[in-house]
Short mmCIF file of all heavy atoms in Angstrom, two decimals:
data_model
loop_
_atom_site.label_atom_id
_atom_site.label_comp_id
_atom_site.label_asym_id
_atom_site.label_seq_id
_atom_site.Cartn_x
_atom_site.Cartn_y
_atom_site.Cartn_z
N GLU A 686 110.80 101.50 99.68
CA GLU A 686 110.76 102.94 99.39
C GLU A 686 110.25 103.76 100.59
O GLU A 686 110.58 104.94 100.73
CB GLU A 686 109.86 103.20 98.18
CG GLU A 686 110.42 102.73 96.86
CD GLU A 686 111.57 103.60 96.37
OE1 GLU A 686 111.64 104.78 96.78
OE2 GLU A 686 112.40 103.10 95.59
N VAL A 687 109.42 103.13 101.43
CA VAL A 687 108.79 103.88 102.54
C VAL A 687 109.28 103.38 103.90
O VAL A 687 108.61 103.55 104.91
CB VAL A 687 107.25 103.79 102.46
CG1 VAL A 687 106.75 104.44 101.19
CG2 VAL A 687 106.77 102.34 102.54
N ASP A 688 110.45 102.73 103.90
CA ASP A 688 111.09 102.28 105.14
C ASP A 688 110.20 101.33 105.95
O ASP A 688 110.15 101.40 107.17
CB ASP A 688 111.47 103.48 106.01
CG ASP A 688 112.54 103.12 107.05
OD1 ASP A 688 113.31 102.15 106.82
OD2 ASP A 688 112.58 103.79 108.10
N GLY A 689 109.44 100.49 105.25
CA GLY A 689 108.68 99.43 105.90
C GLY A 689 107.30 99.81 106.41
O GLY A 689 106.60 98.96 106.96
N SER A 690 106.87 101.05 106.24
CA SER A 690 105.55 101.48 106.73
C SER A 690 104.46 100.87 105.86
O SER A 690 104.39 101.12 104.64
CB SER A 690 105.43 103.00 106.71
OG SER A 690 104.08 103.39 106.93
N PHE A 691 103.57 100.07 106.47
CA PHE A 691 102.54 99.36 105.71
C PHE A 691 101.58 100.33 105.02
O PHE A 691 101.31 100.22 103.82
CB PHE A 691 101.77 98.40 106.62
CG PHE A 691 100.77 97.56 105.89
CD1 PHE A 691 101.16 96.40 105.25
CD2 PHE A 691 99.43 97.91 105.84
CE1 PHE A 691 100.26 95.62 104.56
CE2 PHE A 691 98.51 97.14 105.16
CZ PHE A 691 98.92 95.99 104.52
N ASP A 692 101.03 101.29 105.77
CA ASP A 692 100.07 102.24 105.20
C ASP A 692 100.70 103.07 104.08
O ASP A 692 100.07 103.31 103.04
CB ASP A 692 99.51 103.16 106.28
CG ASP A 692 98.52 102.46 107.19
OD1 ASP A 692 98.02 101.38 106.82
OD2 ASP A 692 98.24 103.00 108.27
N ASP A 693 101.94 103.51 104.30
CA ASP A 693 102.61 104.29 103.27
C ASP A 693 102.88 103.45 102.02
O ASP A 693 102.83 103.95 100.89
CB ASP A 693 103.94 104.85 103.80
CG ASP A 693 103.72 105.96 104.81
OD1 ASP A 693 102.58 106.48 104.89
OD2 ASP A 693 104.68 106.31 105.53
N ALA A 694 103.14 102.15 102.22
CA ALA A 694 103.37 101.26 101.09
C ALA A 694 102.10 101.08 100.27
O ALA A 694 102.13 101.03 99.03
CB ALA A 694 103.89 99.90 101.57
N VAL A 695 100.95 100.99 100.97
CA VAL A 695 99.66 100.90 100.26
C VAL A 695 99.46 102.15 99.41
O VAL A 695 99.10 102.08 98.23
CB VAL A 695 98.50 100.74 101.26
CG1 VAL A 695 97.15 100.86 100.53
CG2 VAL A 695 98.58 99.40 101.97
N ASP A 696 99.72 103.33 100.00
CA ASP A 696 99.56 104.58 99.26
C ASP A 696 100.54 104.65 98.08
O ASP A 696 100.20 105.13 96.99
CB ASP A 696 99.80 105.77 100.19
CG ASP A 696 98.65 105.96 101.18
OD1 ASP A 696 97.60 105.32 100.98
OD2 ASP A 696 98.81 106.75 102.13
N TYR A 697 101.77 104.21 98.30
CA TYR A 697 102.79 104.20 97.24
C TYR A 697 102.30 103.39 96.03
O TYR A 697 102.38 103.86 94.88
CB TYR A 697 104.09 103.62 97.78
CG TYR A 697 105.20 103.46 96.75
CD1 TYR A 697 106.13 104.47 96.55
CD2 TYR A 697 105.30 102.29 95.99
CE1 TYR A 697 107.15 104.32 95.61
CE2 TYR A 697 106.30 102.14 95.05
CZ TYR A 697 107.22 103.16 94.86
OH TYR A 697 108.22 103.01 93.93
N LEU A 698 101.78 102.19 96.29
CA LEU A 698 101.30 101.34 95.20
C LEU A 698 100.10 101.95 94.49
O LEU A 698 99.96 101.86 93.28
CB LEU A 698 100.95 99.95 95.75
CG LEU A 698 102.15 99.10 96.19
CD1 LEU A 698 101.69 97.89 96.97
CD2 LEU A 698 102.97 98.67 94.98
N ARG A 699 99.22 102.59 95.27
CA ARG A 699 98.04 103.22 94.67
C ARG A 699 98.45 104.39 93.78
O ARG A 699 97.89 104.59 92.70
CB ARG A 699 97.07 103.68 95.75
CG ARG A 699 96.40 102.52 96.50
CD ARG A 699 95.37 103.04 97.47
NE ARG A 699 94.36 103.82 96.79
CZ ARG A 699 93.63 104.78 97.36
NH1 ARG A 699 93.82 105.08 98.62
NH2 ARG A 699 92.73 105.43 96.66
N LYS A 700 99.42 105.17 94.24
CA LYS A 700 99.88 106.31 93.44
C LYS A 700 100.51 105.84 92.13
O LYS A 700 100.44 106.53 91.11
CB LYS A 700 100.90 107.13 94.25
CG LYS A 700 100.29 107.90 95.41
CD LYS A 700 101.37 108.54 96.26
CE LYS A 700 100.78 109.20 97.50
NZ LYS A 700 101.82 109.78 98.38
N LYS A 701 101.13 104.68 92.15
CA LYS A 701 101.74 104.12 90.95
C LYS A 701 100.72 103.39 90.09
O LYS A 701 101.05 102.85 89.03
CB LYS A 701 102.87 103.15 91.34
CG LYS A 701 104.03 103.79 92.08
CD LYS A 701 104.79 104.75 91.18
CE LYS A 701 106.02 105.30 91.88
NZ LYS A 701 106.77 106.25 91.03
N GLY A 702 99.47 103.34 90.56
CA GLY A 702 98.43 102.64 89.81
C GLY A 702 98.55 101.14 89.90
O GLY A 702 97.99 100.41 89.08
N LEU A 703 99.27 100.64 90.91
CA LEU A 703 99.50 99.20 91.05
C LEU A 703 98.54 98.54 92.03
O LEU A 703 98.56 97.33 92.21
CB LEU A 703 100.94 98.95 91.50
CG LEU A 703 102.02 99.43 90.54
CD1 LEU A 703 103.40 99.30 91.18
CD2 LEU A 703 101.96 98.64 89.23
N ALA A 704 97.71 99.35 92.68
CA ALA A 704 96.76 98.79 93.65
C ALA A 704 95.50 99.63 93.66
O ALA A 704 95.54 100.85 93.49
CB ALA A 704 97.38 98.76 95.05
N ALA A 705 94.38 98.98 93.86
CA ALA A 705 93.11 99.69 93.97
C ALA A 705 92.92 100.19 95.38
O ALA A 705 93.57 99.70 96.32
CB ALA A 705 91.96 98.75 93.60
N ALA A 706 92.06 101.20 95.56
CA ALA A 706 91.72 101.64 96.92
C ALA A 706 91.18 100.45 97.69
O ALA A 706 90.41 99.66 97.18
CB ALA A 706 90.67 102.74 96.85
N SER A 707 91.61 100.30 98.91
CA SER A 707 91.20 99.12 99.66
C SER A 707 90.85 99.47 101.09
O SER A 707 91.29 100.47 101.64
CB SER A 707 92.32 98.07 99.66
OG SER A 707 93.47 98.61 100.25
N LYS A 708 90.03 98.64 101.68
CA LYS A 708 89.64 98.78 103.08
C LYS A 708 90.31 97.64 103.84
O LYS A 708 90.39 96.51 103.37
CB LYS A 708 88.12 98.68 103.24
CG LYS A 708 87.36 99.68 102.40
CD LYS A 708 85.88 99.57 102.66
CE LYS A 708 85.29 98.32 102.05
NZ LYS A 708 85.22 98.39 100.60
N LYS A 709 90.76 97.97 105.03
CA LYS A 709 91.33 96.92 105.85
C LYS A 709 90.19 96.21 106.56
O LYS A 709 89.67 96.68 107.55
CB LYS A 709 92.30 97.51 106.87
CG LYS A 709 93.57 98.07 106.24
CD LYS A 709 94.51 98.56 107.32
CE LYS A 709 95.78 99.10 106.71
NZ LYS A 709 96.70 99.61 107.73
N ALA A 710 89.81 95.05 106.07
CA ALA A 710 88.72 94.31 106.70
C ALA A 710 89.27 93.37 107.76
O ALA A 710 88.51 92.85 108.58
CB ALA A 710 87.96 93.51 105.64
N GLY A 711 90.58 93.14 107.77
CA GLY A 711 91.15 92.21 108.75
C GLY A 711 91.12 90.79 108.20
O GLY A 711 90.21 90.41 107.46
N ARG A 712 92.13 90.02 108.54
CA ARG A 712 92.19 88.62 108.12
C ARG A 712 91.29 87.77 108.99
O ARG A 712 91.28 87.91 110.20
CB ARG A 712 93.63 88.12 108.25
CG ARG A 712 94.63 88.86 107.38
CD ARG A 712 94.55 88.41 105.95
NE ARG A 712 94.71 86.97 105.85
CZ ARG A 712 95.91 86.37 105.87
NH1 ARG A 712 97.00 87.07 106.00
NH2 ARG A 712 95.99 85.05 105.78
N VAL A 713 90.50 86.90 108.36
CA VAL A 713 89.72 85.94 109.13
C VAL A 713 90.70 84.93 109.69
O VAL A 713 91.29 84.14 108.96
CB VAL A 713 88.67 85.23 108.25
CG1 VAL A 713 87.97 84.14 109.03
CG2 VAL A 713 87.66 86.24 107.72
N ALA A 714 90.92 84.99 111.01
CA ALA A 714 92.02 84.24 111.60
C ALA A 714 91.63 83.47 112.84
O ALA A 714 92.49 83.08 113.61
CB ALA A 714 93.16 85.20 111.93
N ALA A 715 90.34 83.26 113.07
CA ALA A 715 89.87 82.49 114.22
C ALA A 715 88.56 81.82 113.85
O ALA A 715 87.82 82.31 113.01
CB ALA A 715 89.68 83.39 115.44
N GLU A 716 88.30 80.68 114.48
CA GLU A 716 87.07 79.95 114.22
C GLU A 716 86.01 80.29 115.26
O GLU A 716 86.24 81.07 116.18
CB GLU A 716 87.36 78.45 114.20
CG GLU A 716 88.41 78.04 113.19
CD GLU A 716 88.06 78.39 111.76
OE1 GLU A 716 86.85 78.55 111.47
OE2 GLU A 716 88.97 78.52 110.93
N GLY A 717 84.85 79.66 115.13
CA GLY A 717 83.74 79.93 116.03
C GLY A 717 82.53 80.34 115.25
O GLY A 717 82.25 79.78 114.19
N VAL A 718 81.82 81.38 115.72
CA VAL A 718 80.60 81.78 115.04
C VAL A 718 80.28 83.23 115.34
O VAL A 718 80.59 83.76 116.40
CB VAL A 718 79.42 80.87 115.49
CG1 VAL A 718 79.03 81.14 116.94
CG2 VAL A 718 78.21 81.02 114.58
N VAL A 719 79.66 83.89 114.36
CA VAL A 719 79.01 85.18 114.56
C VAL A 719 77.51 84.91 114.48
O VAL A 719 77.02 84.33 113.49
CB VAL A 719 79.42 86.21 113.49
CG1 VAL A 719 78.60 87.49 113.64
CG2 VAL A 719 80.91 86.51 113.59
N ALA A 720 76.78 85.30 115.51
CA ALA A 720 75.35 85.03 115.57
C ALA A 720 74.58 86.32 115.79
O ALA A 720 75.12 87.30 116.33
CB ALA A 720 75.04 84.05 116.71
#
């Protein structure tokens, strides 16, 4: 519906009541440590 735009798709789903408000925390995608 939004020609592939990720942010617009999030808004589209929220307007339809299909998704809760969300924060982009980022995918945990690397190992190591936070110290």
Side-chain angles (χ1 to χ4, degrees):
E686 290 288 336
V687 297
D688 200 25
S690 169
F691 184 83
D692 286 343
D693 288 346
V695 172
D696 288 348
Y697 176 92
L698 290 168
R699 291 185 58 206
K700 290 173 186 177
K701 297 293 184 181
L703 298 172
S707 60
K708 304 183 287 289
K709 291 183 179 179
R712 298 283 305 279
V713 175
E716 303 301 337
V718 70
V719 174

